[in-house]
């Protein structure tokens, strides 16, 4: 083993010798940033994973338990866990969820890890239904939807239809928020200081990442088919792409500003943002 890695792992063991110490708190503060860094987890290696496995039974605080389990699950690529152990820590994690000791981002990522490790989608949904209010449940599952739940055995259930709708609303609101950052002068000016959260702090991020590089070429058909956007809305976004390619950053042109009116058609923008296009009844 690399001597540096050995010293780092010895430091982690030193920091976690005793609960309720500043050293112990330091370790868990570091863990918040370490858990989503695959290169660091790989660098610390199996000894680090084994230290966390050994540490977990001695931790009583549910927040610290949840953080340890979330980090352990992020180590699936560097460590092999037995089926019994995975079931054991899954049960512990569900108890953390029941005591509201997790946040939505951490929970979604960890549950996806459990699915990859072999815990069934059906079992995860069952346990979440038992321990979460419905609104919170849908929020969590919608973040897991597209890659891990869309084709599950539960996909046709009433709950999963609500989860699907929440996922599509998330997609829709993200795209329209980017559109507003470009076409609405007040949003463009104040997005960076407002208390409303946008995917980007300013229109420049949208301009550089999405337009005029093209938000839609690889997604257009899927977005229309799933009714995240209507055909008309997609055509307006494509027109914005075309205008920016022609005019550069002249976002105050009459042509660009008119796209806002064409998109919302005088309706309440929030109602438009949070309403999926109507599906045709066959």
């Amino acid at each position: 083993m690399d001597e540096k890695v050995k010293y780092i792992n010895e430091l982690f063991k030193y920091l976690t010798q005793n609960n309720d110490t500043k050293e112990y708190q330091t370790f868990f503060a570091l863990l918040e940033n370490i858990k989503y860094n695959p290169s660091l987890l790989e660098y610390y290696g199996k000894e680090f994973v084994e230290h966390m496995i050994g540490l977990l039974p001695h931790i009583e605080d549910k927040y610290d338990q949840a953080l340890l389990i979330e980090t352990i699950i992020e180590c699936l690529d560097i460590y092999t866990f037995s089926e019994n152990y995975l079931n054991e820590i899954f049960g512990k994690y569900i108890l953390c969820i029941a005591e509201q000791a997790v946040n939505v981002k951490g929970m979604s990522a960890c549950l996806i890890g459990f699915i990859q490790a072999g815990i069934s989608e059906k079992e995860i949904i069952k346990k979440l239904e038992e321990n979460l209010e419905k609104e919170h449940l849908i929020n969590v599952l919608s973040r897991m939807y597209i890659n891990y739940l869309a084709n599950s055995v539960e996909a046709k259930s009433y709950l999963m239809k609500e989860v699907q709708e929440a996922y599509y609303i998330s997609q829709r609101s993200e795209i329209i928020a980017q559109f507003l950052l470009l076409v609405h002068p007040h949003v463009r000016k104040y997005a960076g200081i407002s208390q409303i959260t946008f995917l980007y702090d300013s229109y420049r991020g949208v301009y550089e990442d999405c337009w005029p590089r093209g938000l839609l070429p690889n997604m257009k058909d899927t977005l229309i088919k799933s009714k995240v956007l209507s055909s008309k809305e997609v055509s307006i976004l494509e027109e914005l792409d075309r205008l920016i390619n022609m005019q550069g950053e002249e976002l105050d042109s009459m042509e660009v500003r008119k796209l806002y009116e064409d998109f919302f058609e005088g309706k309440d923008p929030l109602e438009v943002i949070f309403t999926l296009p109507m599906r045709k009844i066959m």
Side-chain angles (χ1 to χ4, degrees):
M1 180 188 295
D2 188 302
E3 284 296 309
K4 292 179 181 177
V5 175
K6 182 179 178 181
Y7 290 142
I8 291 172
N9 280 308
E10 287 300 321
L11 172 61
F12 289 147
K13 291 172 185 176
Y14 165 74
L15 292 174
T16 53
Q17 287 182 100
N18 299 298
N19 295 5
D20 301 322
T21 64
K22 295 298 182 186
E23 290 84 0
Y24 176 89
Q25 292 172 19
T26 297
F27 174 78
F28 280 92
L30 290 171
L31 207 58
E32 276 287 1
N33 294 306
I34 289 171
K35 70 175 178 178
Y36 294 135
N37 192 321
S39 62
L40 282 181
L41 294 174
E42 185 176 359
Y43 181 65
Y44 302 147
K46 293 183 178 180
E47 184 179 355
F48 176 66
V49 184
E50 288 166 356
H51 175 55
M52 290 190 294
I53 290 171
L55 186 61
L56 182 59
H58 305 288
I59 304 298
E60 294 184 1
D61 183 275
K62 284 291 187 287
Y63 291 92
D64 292 343
Q65 281 185 15
L67 181 52
L68 268 178
I69 293 169
E70 287 168 0
T71 310
I72 289 169
I73 288 299
E74 287 295 322
C75 296
L76 289 170
D77 290 339
I78 63 171
Y79 200 90
T80 301
F81 303 95
S82 71
E83 182 179 345
N84 285 340
Y85 183 70
L86 286 168
N87 285 324
E88 177 188 334
I89 62 172
F90 176 66
K92 285 181 180 287
Y93 194 67
I94 292 299
L95 291 176
C96 294
I97 291 173
E99 297 200 18
Q100 301 180 349
V102 295
N103 60 48
V104 171
K105 178 183 176 183
M107 193 191 325
S108 302
C110 188
L111 293 174
I112 286 170
F114 276 117
I115 291 173
Q116 292 171 326
I119 304 294
S120 72
E121 297 97 328
K122 185 174 182 178
E123 178 67 9
I124 286 174
I125 292 169
K126 176 176 175 289
K127 292 297 184 183
L128 292 180
E129 284 185 290
E130 292 171 357
N131 291 282
L132 293 178
E133 296 291 335
K134 187 174 182 181
E135 184 177 349
H136 195 188
L137 170 67
I138 290 172
N139 189 3
V140 173
L141 294 179
S142 68
R143 291 170 180 253
M144 302 165 59
Y145 176 75
I146 192 63
N147 293 322
Y148 297 95
L149 297 177
N151 298 314
S152 76
V153 293
E154 302 295 302
K156 294 184 180 179
S157 70
Y158 184 77
L159 170 65
M160 290 309 297
K161 288 179 181 177
E162 291 189 73
V163 169
Q164 180 191 64
E165 181 176 1
Y167 171 73
Y168 288 156
I169 286 286
S170 175
Q171 277 194 305
R172 178 175 174 82
S173 60
E174 177 184 320
I175 293 169
I176 298 177
Q178 293 173 47
F179 173 72
L180 287 173
L181 272 165
L182 291 172
V183 302
H184 197 292
H186 288 168
V187 177
R188 194 161 64 240
K189 182 175 180 180
Y190 296 116
I193 61 169
S194 82
Q195 293 300 306
I196 299 172
T197 301
F198 291 86
L199 185 63
Y200 296 90
D201 289 335
S202 77
Y203 75 92
R204 291 189 178 278
V206 185
Y207 185 87
E208 291 168 4
D209 287 353
C210 303
W211 283 279
R213 296 184 182 185
L215 173 75
L216 298 169
N218 298 319
M219 302 171 58
K220 179 172 73 173
D221 292 342
T222 300
L223 290 170
I224 294 173
K225 184 177 179 180
S226 60
K227 298 296 182 182
V228 172
L229 297 170
S230 68
S231 298
K232 178 182 177 181
E233 288 168 341
V234 167
S235 69
I236 292 170
L237 299 184
E238 289 180 317
E239 176 64 9
L240 176 60
D241 199 24
R242 187 187 72 81
L243 287 173
I244 290 178
N245 271 298
M246 289 175 54
Q247 300 176 354
E249 292 189 58
E250 295 178 26
L251 298 175
D252 284 318
S253 72
M254 290 300 296
E255 294 91 341
V256 171
R257 295 179 70 175
K258 185 177 181 298
L259 294 179
Y260 175 90
E261 298 170 8
D262 292 343
F263 196 97
F264 293 105
E265 300 179 316
K267 300 174 185 175
D268 179 351
L270 292 178
E271 184 178 338
V272 173
I273 291 170
F274 296 113
T275 302
L276 295 174
M278 292 292 291
R279 286 161 170 73
K280 292 181 180 179
I281 299 174
M282 301 303 290

